[in-house]
């Protein structure tokens, strides 16, 4: 749906964010738009503000009413955790007598699908630290749908399935408006990040599971042997009951596991 501003002095805004681990060094906006051919191109323009800071002005170009493109460099210093890019449309008609601030002829339309940011980013390394959960498996700043595989042994028990249900429900509650998918894997690892549910008696091909001692569940994050850019959350119970308790501990929070 395009963003359409109508009137001599109208405003609208869009929200956006970057991944938690991304540090933005350079930011440029490529803006595609169209506008009323009756505008005075010498005095009509868009004023852009990012989080309340003015970051630039886009003039209405000559003879490009149906397909105009503007490139705008934006200082990343104005970025925050959650960002709001605001557009103020200052419009004037080419014919002064028609310069009514309420005129429906004064409009500009921004293409949401064709406009985008070009960003130079550096990705911060994340330690395999349980205190960062739900990272790196879910990032609240990522607007895309979530696909998070769940991994079981070749013959998962009912308790393993129940533990997976607890954890997937927790991740599902975090995703808000996003669609979420939890594909299952038996005795094999996914290419990306995933969650492994096993007891101390189980085995998963491709990884060495941590040893469970003194009947206490072990929860840890490791690099995925199949993909160095992905991680695995290992939930290893001493038995079926311990596996379910570990899943509840993670989902409910406040319980220290190592």
């Amino acid at each position: 749906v395009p963003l359409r501003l109508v009137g001599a002095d109208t405003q609208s805004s869009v929200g956006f964010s970057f991944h938690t681990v991304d540090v933005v060094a350079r930011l440029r906006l490529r803006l595609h738009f169209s506008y009323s051919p009756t505008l005075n191109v010498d005095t009509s323009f868009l004023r852009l503000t990012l989080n309340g800071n003015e970051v630039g002005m886009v003039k209405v170009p000559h003879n490009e009413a149906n397909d105009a493109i503007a490139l705008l460099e934006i200082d990343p210093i104005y970025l925050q955790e959650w960002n709001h890019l605001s557009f103020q449309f200052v419009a004037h008609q080419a014919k002064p007598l028609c310069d009514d601030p309420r005129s429906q002829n004064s409009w500009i339309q921004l293409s949401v699908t064709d406009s985008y940011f070009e960003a130079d980013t550096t990705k911060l390394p994340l330690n395999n630290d349980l205190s960062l959960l739900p990272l790196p498996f879910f990032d609240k700043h990522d607007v895309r749908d979530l696909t998070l595989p769940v991994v079981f042994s070749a013959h998962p028990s009912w308790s393993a399935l129940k533990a997976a249900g607890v954890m997937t429900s927790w991740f599902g509650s975090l995703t808000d408006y996003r669609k979420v998918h939890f594909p299952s894997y038996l005795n094999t690892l996914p290419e990306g990040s995933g969650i492994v549910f096993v007891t101390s008696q189980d085995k998963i091909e491709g990884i060495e599971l941590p040893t469970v001692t003194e009947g206490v569940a072990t929860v840890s994050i490791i690099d995925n042997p199949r993909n160095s850019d992905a991680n695995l959350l290992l939930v290893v119970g001493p038995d079926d009951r311990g596996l379910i308790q570990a899943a509840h501990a993670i989902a409910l929070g406040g319980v220290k596991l190592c």
Side-chain angles (χ1 to χ4, degrees):
V1 178
L3 187 64
R4 188 179 179 90
L5 303 177
V6 180
D9 187 9
T10 52
Q11 300 184 48
S12 189
S13 64
V14 295
F16 69 96
S17 61
F18 289 93
H19 294 177
T20 300
V21 296
D22 286 343
V23 177
V24 181
R26 182 189 180 192
L27 186 65
R28 182 166 69 166
L29 174 65
R30 181 178 291 269
L31 187 65
H32 287 245
F33 62 97
S34 57
Y35 58 89
S36 169
T38 64
L39 288 179
N40 185 330
V41 296
D42 294 320
T43 57
S44 300
F45 60 90
L46 275 175
R47 179 180 290 115
L48 280 71
T49 59
L50 176 59
N51 300 321
N53 302 284
E54 186 169 338
V55 293
M57 184 177 68
V58 175
K59 294 184 177 180
V60 175
H62 289 267
N63 303 319
E64 298 181 28
N66 293 323
D67 186 21
I69 300 176
L71 299 177
L72 182 66
E73 292 282 345
I74 298 177
D75 193 335
I77 196 173
Y78 298 121
L79 290 173
Q80 299 176 3
E81 181 180 12
W82 302 103
N83 300 284
H84 294 278
L85 182 64
S86 300
F87 304 91
Q88 180 187 6
F89 179 40
V90 178
H92 296 283
Q93 288 289 306
K95 297 180 179 180
L97 294 179
C98 300
D99 205 7
D100 182 352
R102 298 166 298 178
S103 173
Q104 296 296 304
N105 290 326
S106 297
W107 60 265
I108 192 168
Q109 184 166 287
L110 312 180
S111 173
V112 176
T113 54
D114 294 330
S115 300
Y116 55 90
F117 283 111
E118 296 173 347
D120 294 339
T121 62
T122 301
K123 192 176 293 293
L124 294 175
L126 281 182
N127 295 326
N128 291 333
D129 188 344
L130 290 173
S131 66
L132 299 176
L133 285 175
L135 287 172
F137 306 97
F138 170 69
D139 186 348
K140 65 181 180 180
H141 298 113
D142 192 341
V143 299
R144 297 173 299 179
D145 296 340
L146 174 66
T147 297
L148 184 59
V150 291
V151 182
F152 305 99
S153 65
H155 303 285
S157 66
W158 172 252
S159 296
L161 299 177
K162 185 174 181 179
V166 171
M167 288 291 293
T168 54
S169 294
W170 178 56
F171 274 101
S173 70
L174 300 174
T175 56
D176 194 18
Y177 56 86
R178 306 166 186 83
K179 294 181 181 178
V180 59
H181 309 278
F182 299 105
S184 59
Y185 289 73
L186 298 180
N187 197 31
T188 187
L189 297 177
E191 289 288 347
S193 295
I195 313 175
V196 179
F197 298 94
V198 290
T199 65
S200 57
Q201 295 79 36
D202 295 323
K203 293 182 178 180
I204 300 291
E205 186 176 340
I207 58 173
E208 182 176 348
L209 296 172
T211 303
V212 176
T213 58
E214 299 180 358
V216 179
T218 298
V219 179
S220 58
I221 300 174
I222 66 170
D223 296 335
N224 188 340
R226 297 191 63 183
N227 180 356
S228 60
D229 293 326
N231 302 89
L232 298 173
L233 176 60
L234 305 183
V235 186
V236 185
D239 49 33
D240 287 344
R241 181 182 179 186
L243 179 58
I244 295 174
Q245 288 177 337
H248 277 291
I250 300 171
L252 295 176
V255 179
K256 184 178 180 180
L257 296 167
C258 59

